[in-house]
Amino acid sequence: MAKTTVQLASGHNMPLVGFGLWKVPADQAADTVYNAIKVGYRLFDGAYDYQNEKEAGQGIRRAIEEGLVKREDIFVTTKLWNNYHRKEHALQMAKAQNEAWGLGYIDLYLIHFPVALKYIEPEKRRYPAWWMDDAGTIEVDKVPIRETWEVLESVVDQGIARSIGVSNFQAQAIMDLESYARHPISSLQIEHHPYLVQPELIALAQEMKIAVTAYSSFGPQSYVELQSPRANVSKPLMETDTVKKIAEKHGKTPAQVLLRWATQRGVAVIPKSNNQGRLAQNLDVLSFDLDKAEIDDISGLDVGLRFNDPGFYLTNKPLRIFA
Ligand code: NAD
């Protein structure tokens, strides 16, 4: 039987398949999460940036109150946004986010991006969240990652979060952080799909016992609605001959093949869908196996194409964090 969870360096287990909450409208988040629990999802990937934590927590609490699940069956990931990296803000934010979810504790708390932006009062936030004002001003702040990481460690000590980790970090920042970490980096969440495979980064993380979670598993799919110019330069991954042929052979959908390509290599996935049928199929991605040649063929689609790149989409002031 295929593994359904991965053990984190903190000792806690994380499901290999979860549900991503980015772009789930706040007024639909409670029902979406509740329905996802009914379908069988146990991991929910949220963030302060998604502005739906309170509602997602309401959906989970409803499922708990109705006896569908217990708190310990559910795994909640959430993330610290870039404006709150300073010591005092990071701690305040962790407490506020924990309160918003309303579940007693957070399972996994991540630094969302390895870049600090100047503080902005939560109620003054703009969208995109990188902006300080409607003119699209971006102001970086001088906060070392170490300052923020040490707050995350205190968040574990205080029982606010059980495990901590990072997102959108690359090898050098991870290796530096590891040199002083008192609590382990339990998880690394990165953009990962066949157009952006990053095999070396995944190998490094796995060698360091850091569990990798893939986001945007369907590549351009998630960025079409954001009208990203990069989303249109490549064929949708689900329509490539490679993925379609493998899907036909296994009697699965292209989406399921893309998710299995990750989970079979021990990489967790957190696809997002508002559609009931797709919700169920995205969860059923551990019950079949691809052979090595199929995995290699899918990895062969790699063209180093990154969609979530603030060095590209922040045109006023590109933040070239992936340089
Ligand atoms: P995704 O790769 O899950 O793709 C979502 C898109 O695919 C939607 O348009 C959806 O309608 C479509 N889709 C979903 N299931 C499908 C299926 N079975 N068949 C056909 N189409 C299907 O995109 P995502 O939302 O970018 O990534 C997933 C999650 O990862 C997010 O919700 C969020 O939680 C997380 N994430 C994290 C970061 C980060 O910086 N850490 C960045 C982006 C996303």
Side-chain angles (χ1 to χ4, degrees):
M1 198 149 128
K3 274 176 63 174
T4 58
T5 60
V6 55
Q7 194 179 34
L8 302 178
S10 61
H12 296 284
N13 284 321
M14 178 176 84
L16 260 178
V17 185
F19 182 86
L21 285 159
W22 185 35
K23 299 194 244 110
V24 174
D27 60 357
Q28 294 168 26
D31 286 343
T32 300
V33 165
Y34 173 80
N35 287 331
I37 291 174
K38 274 195 157 168
V39 172
Y41 284 84
R42 295 295 177 261
L43 182 152
F44 293 92
D45 182 79
Y48 176 75
D49 185 44
Y50 307 161
Q51 294 288 295
N52 54 19
E53 292 174 296
K54 191 169 126 226
E55 295 77 8
Q58 284 165 357
I60 296 172
R61 289 208 305 280
R62 188 164 134 209
I64 293 173
E65 279 154 22
E66 291 181 11
L68 295 177
V69 284
K70 299 193 187 73
R71 170 64 186 93
E72 57 269 31
D73 301 328
I74 296 289
F75 190 102
V76 165
T77 301
T78 196
K79 314 181 193 90
L80 176 73
W81 187 244
N82 312 333
N83 301 95
Y84 309 105
H85 276 208
R86 281 194 179 276
K87 194 175 176 178
E88 57 277 23
H89 303 137
L91 185 59
Q92 206 178 27
M93 193 49 83
K95 288 179 178 166
Q97 289 183 256
N98 189 32
E99 236 169 74
W101 284 93
L103 298 165
Y105 61 88
I106 291 162
D107 290 280
L108 176 64
Y109 197 47
L110 305 177
I111 302 178
H112 206 146
F113 278 92
V115 60
L117 299 177
K118 284 247 163 78
Y119 176 75
I120 182 166
E121 286 165 44
E123 49 282 8
K124 292 196 181 146
R125 276 176 96 248
R126 295 288 193 290
Y127 198 81
W130 301 82
W131 292 4
M132 293 301 281
D133 53 30
D134 291 337
T137 307
I138 288 163
E139 288 189 80
V140 292
D141 198 3
K142 294 185 179 176
V143 189
I145 291 295
R146 182 168 190 162
E147 177 172 331
T148 312
W149 183 258
E150 286 176 354
V151 174
L152 262 62
E153 291 179 324
S154 76
V155 159
V156 173
D157 295 336
Q158 293 176 49
I160 299 169
R162 294 205 160 164
S163 306
I164 49 177
V166 294
S167 177
N168 297 303
F169 277 49
Q170 296 201 272
Q172 292 162 359
I174 294 169
M175 289 172 88
D176 180 65
L177 204 164
E178 187 80 353
S179 72
Y180 55 78
R182 188 167 56 80
H183 284 303
I185 308 171
S186 281
S187 175
L188 167 69
Q189 187 176 123
I190 50 168
E191 181 175 338
H192 177 62
H193 45 72
Y195 287 151
L196 183 71
V197 181
Q198 309 187 79
E200 302 263 298
L201 179 57
I202 290 182
L204 174 98
Q206 292 182 336
E207 284 157 17
M208 292 171 83
K209 311 274 181 254
I210 300 172
V212 179
T213 297
Y215 75 69
S216 301
S217 293
F218 305 137
Q221 199 83 12
S222 174
Y223 298 86
V224 173
E225 65 190 274
L226 298 176
Q227 294 169 340
S228 160
R230 279 192 185 169
N232 297 320
V233 301
S234 51
K235 201 171 186 169
L237 273 168
M238 294 181 203
E239 289 172 23
T240 57
D241 288 343
T242 308
V243 175
K244 278 199 318 199
K245 267 191 210 145
I246 295 171
E248 270 163 36
K249 191 180 140 200
H250 288 271
K252 297 287 172 186
T253 66
Q256 288 174 309
V257 167
L258 289 170
L259 297 172
R260 188 62 182 137
W261 169 79
T263 58
Q264 207 173 312
R265 289 175 298 117
V267 173
V269 292
I270 43 174
K272 177 232 139 177
S273 175
N274 292 330
N275 169 302
Q276 206 66 11
R278 286 175 176 176
L279 264 183
Q281 61 164 273
N282 291 350
L283 190 59
D284 177 24
V285 293
L286 301 173
S287 62
F288 65 104
D289 281 332
L290 305 173
D291 64 35
K292 186 177 177 313
E294 291 168 333
I295 290 183
D296 290 347
D297 280 352
I298 298 171
S299 302
L301 294 169
D302 194 7
V303 283
L305 181 58
R306 186 185 296 280
F307 298 100
N308 194 3
D309 182 359
F312 168 70
Y313 58 65
L314 298 178
T315 45
N316 278 359
K317 184 180 170 60
L319 291 178
R320 303 185 203 282
I321 58 171
F322 297 113

